[in-house]
Amino acid sequence: MKFNKICVLGLGYIGLPTASTFAAHGVKVVGVDVNPDIVDILRRGDIHIHEPGLRETYKTALASGNLTVTGRPEEADAYLITVPTPFHEDRSGEYNGQKYKLADMRAVISATEAILPFLRKGNLVVLESTSPPRTTLELVAPILARSGLKAGRDFHLVYSPERVLPGQILRELIENARVIGGVTPESAQAGADLYSIFVKGEIIKTDATSAEMVKLMENTYRDVNIAIANEFARLADKFGVDIWETIRLANRHPRVKILNPGPGVGGHCISVDPWFFVEAAPELTPLIYNARRVNDAQPRYVVEMIRRELGSLKDKKIAALGLAYKPDVDDLRESPAVEVVHALQNEGAKVKAWEPFKPDAKLPGIDMAPSLDDALKDCDVIILLVRHTEFVNLKPSEISAATRARLIFDTVNGWNANEWRTAGFQVARLGVGK
Ligand SMILES: NC(=O)c1ccc[n+]([C@@H]2O[C@H](COP(=O)([O-])OP(=O)(O)OC[C@H]3O[C@@H](n4cnc5c(N)ncnc54)[C@H](O)[C@@H]3O)[C@@H](O)[C@H]2O)c1
């Protein structure tokens, strides 16, 4: 199938790089976002998210004349849905007295409905948003059927999960293997034709529900494995050993690959997607459910450790380094670092947070420092919450001169404890029992 023009709905971390990459490969792209502020920023030639290389790719796409940005879809050969699929903040499900989170599919529903007036025979519709199993068949297809056209007969419908790593999105979009799940084999082929415009990784065709499962299994696998690393860290604390060293040794086993513990799991994917399985089948998912609970409890565990170290948190002045949900990104969604800061404050601590990737972020109830120096200058304790490269590279001797704090608490194994001790700091680390 040939694609002269495509329409990408949702211009965030996934949609904007995807739209820009298609445009940079010669396809006419209409990028659509319902947020007028985002449309304004993009139309000015600026971008609203931090992702290495995105600004350049976006500018190239705009300059080529292939990419336009607007608030409404237009007629096109293919429609890509890249809108958010968070969980509901205010609603939850319950199974056997245990609460679980529910997927908020409103953006997928409204984006699908927005395509309806433009859908024509022979078109391709692709859902990229991470979604609960059977969403393509049972949510998207029925909405599109309101056009009078049937998925798989009159137009192609595909689920194709996005598995890029934030920080490396532009490279991984092109190089990663791509799973294309069609509602029919012909739909899968149409999806493969579309992505082969720029994908250099393997393109693997399957059915839509398998593709949905693949994406959820990938993120759930990581969540469960991080949960066990977090439990191992708690055990290491209890038994007086160093979790980082024991993981290093355990990973010398040829068939063991334990992930790293930390202050919790965040972001728009791993901390959200396992709930989609739990919601779909709570009776079948006790392990997935409990892994989520372990990881969700980890910020609280970190705060307990800090309290243990300090005696009391009341009126302690704390510099919190990093608020992003993982290293070297500006994404603060579901970030455990943010939760740690809130929990410290609830215990009476006075926290100043420094996030170099989003220094202007306005987070309710969080005192954002305008600079690292400002965060450090008047604090009693420094807590490392995110392994940003620039934090890892900090020189303990320089920090020593910039603060009166003499205690650091490292939750991500970002710092060499001996170097900090030599510079006069007392060092506490997650997963390192005394
Ligand atoms: N961010 C990641 O690293 C990543 C990785 C893999 C998969 N995903 C999945 O991709 C999807 C998108 O995630 P994201 O991080 O790009 O989200 P995002 O919040 O960065 O961007 C989504 C954009 O969609 C817009 N939007 C909402 N409703 C819309 C509608 N009806 N029509 C048009 N635009 C609409 C929003 O204004 C926003 O700009 C999610 O399902 C996510 O789980 C994300």
Side-chain angles (χ1 to χ4, degrees), residues 36-49 58:
D37 295 338
I38 291 177
V39 172
D40 278 353
I41 292 169
L42 292 172
R43 280 187 165 163
R44 283 203 304 269
D46 207 350
I47 57 173
H48 60 295
I49 47 182
Y58 177 64

Side-chain angles (χ1 to χ4, degrees), residues 10 12-14 33-34 38 83-85 110-111 129-130 162 166 268-269 333:
Y13 286 94
I14 297 301
D33 204 288
V34 286
I38 291 177
V83 298
T85 45
S110 73
S129 302
T130 309
E162 191 47 75
H268 187 34
C269 294
R333 288 176 291 181

